[in-house]
Amino acid sequence: MNKDKLLIISIASLLIFGVVFLGISMFGEKRDDNHPLPIALACIFIANSLALVRNRKRKQMARAKTKKILIINASPRKKGNIAQMVDEMVDEASVQGVETEVIEVQKLQVKPCIACMQCRSKGRCTLPEDDSQRVLNLIKDCEAIVIAAPCYWGNIPGTLKLLFDRIVYGMMDESARGFPIPLHKGKRCVLVSTSTTPWPLNILMHQSHGAIRALKEICRYSGFRTVATIEKGGTRQRTTLTDREKNKCRQALRKLL
């Protein structure tokens, strides 16, 4: 049974139970007019049911708004596991009728941040324009994002870190006291990482898990809500995706819709 059918059954059950409970409490022969608990419980059930309906409508509206997904591929390997995962997601987006654009970080021309801090006050980078500004504009224009990065030293690749260093002013702002103010609140993201360290050590030893942690940090303070994460270990031996892994990528993509 899929989640939509289960949600409908749950809502219907709560509504029926709430109405019946309310009827019994109000019109039953042995009702206690001085005891408000039955009516209060019935009202709670009905309110919860209505909340579930509203939540479902919000999710449907969010899906309708998802017109473009940006995929940032930080792996330099053209046919590696990350590239295969990205291909699965692009294909699934096409099936769902959603536009995608894939950015290959390895091909970007991005100069290092010089820590002048002028972007904080001016709202733009003072360095000569390069690919970092172009990627930032794409992030602003998309409704959801996928960030796929292999594990380097228990973290994300330097090329990806360099990119996010340069566009931090467009990802989050700061209050007068230095607290982060997210600039992409309401958007969703999927995070993907791989590691040559075999499973489950890639997670327990914070290899691919370390990369995911770093990506979550960036996305959380930027306002993105992480709806799915994918980690794969042992990629030295496991060079291709299994059917289960392919399906997992497609399921993760659908969570962005």
Side-chain angles (χ1 to χ4, degrees), residues 43-104:
C43 290
I44 291 173
F45 276 115
I46 294 174
N48 285 337
S49 301
L50 293 175
L52 285 172
V53 172
R54 287 195 298 269
N55 186 50
R56 178 175 172 82
K57 288 183 177 179
R58 282 197 296 266
K59 288 183 177 180
Q60 290 175 340
M61 290 177 63
R63 288 182 179 178
K65 292 179 181 178
T66 304
K67 299 178 180 179
K68 185 173 183 179
I69 298 174
L70 180 66
I71 302 178
I72 299 178
N73 178 2
S75 174
R77 299 176 65 87
K78 294 182 179 180
K79 297 182 180 180
N81 278 274
I82 291 286
Q84 294 174 54
M85 291 176 174
V86 167
D87 288 342
E88 290 295 327
M89 292 184 181
V90 170
D91 186 65
E92 180 62 27
S94 178
V95 170
Q96 299 294 333
V98 178
E99 180 186 356
T100 57
E101 182 165 351
V102 179
I103 296 294
E104 295 185 22

Side-chain angles (χ1 to χ4, degrees), residues 208-225:
S208 63
H209 206 57
I212 292 294
R213 180 199 60 78
L215 292 173
K216 281 184 175 180
E217 192 88 351
I218 293 169
C219 292
R220 180 170 68 252
Y221 286 117
S222 300
F224 288 92
R225 180 169 64 89

Side-chain angles (χ1 to χ4, degrees), residues 19-39:
V19 171
V20 171
F21 198 1
L22 182 61
I24 292 174
S25 64
M26 293 182 66
F27 304 107
E29 294 180 359
K30 297 182 179 180
R31 62 189 176 93
D32 183 359
D33 292 333
N34 297 321
H35 203 307
L37 181 60
I39 296 178

Side-chain angles (χ1 to χ4, degrees), residues 5-24:
K5 290 182 179 179
L6 185 61
L7 179 61
I8 292 171
I9 293 173
S10 300
I11 293 173
S13 300
L14 285 172
L15 282 172
I16 292 171
F17 185 77
V19 171
V20 171
F21 198 1
L22 182 61
I24 292 174

Side-chain angles (χ1 to χ4, degrees), residues 198-247:
W199 183 90
L201 295 180
N202 64 304
I203 296 175
L204 297 176
M205 302 301 292
H206 299 285
Q207 295 305 297
S208 63
H209 206 57
I212 292 294
R213 180 199 60 78
L215 292 173
K216 281 184 175 180
E217 192 88 351
I218 293 169
C219 292
R220 180 170 68 252
Y221 286 117
S222 300
F224 288 92
R225 180 169 64 89
T226 303
V227 297
T229 61
I230 300 175
E231 296 182 51
K232 179 177 179 178
T235 54
R236 185 182 296 276
Q237 291 79 27
R238 302 168 62 204
T239 57
T240 58
L241 300 182
T242 64
D243 289 340
R244 181 181 179 184
E245 290 167 341
K246 291 178 181 179
N247 187 50

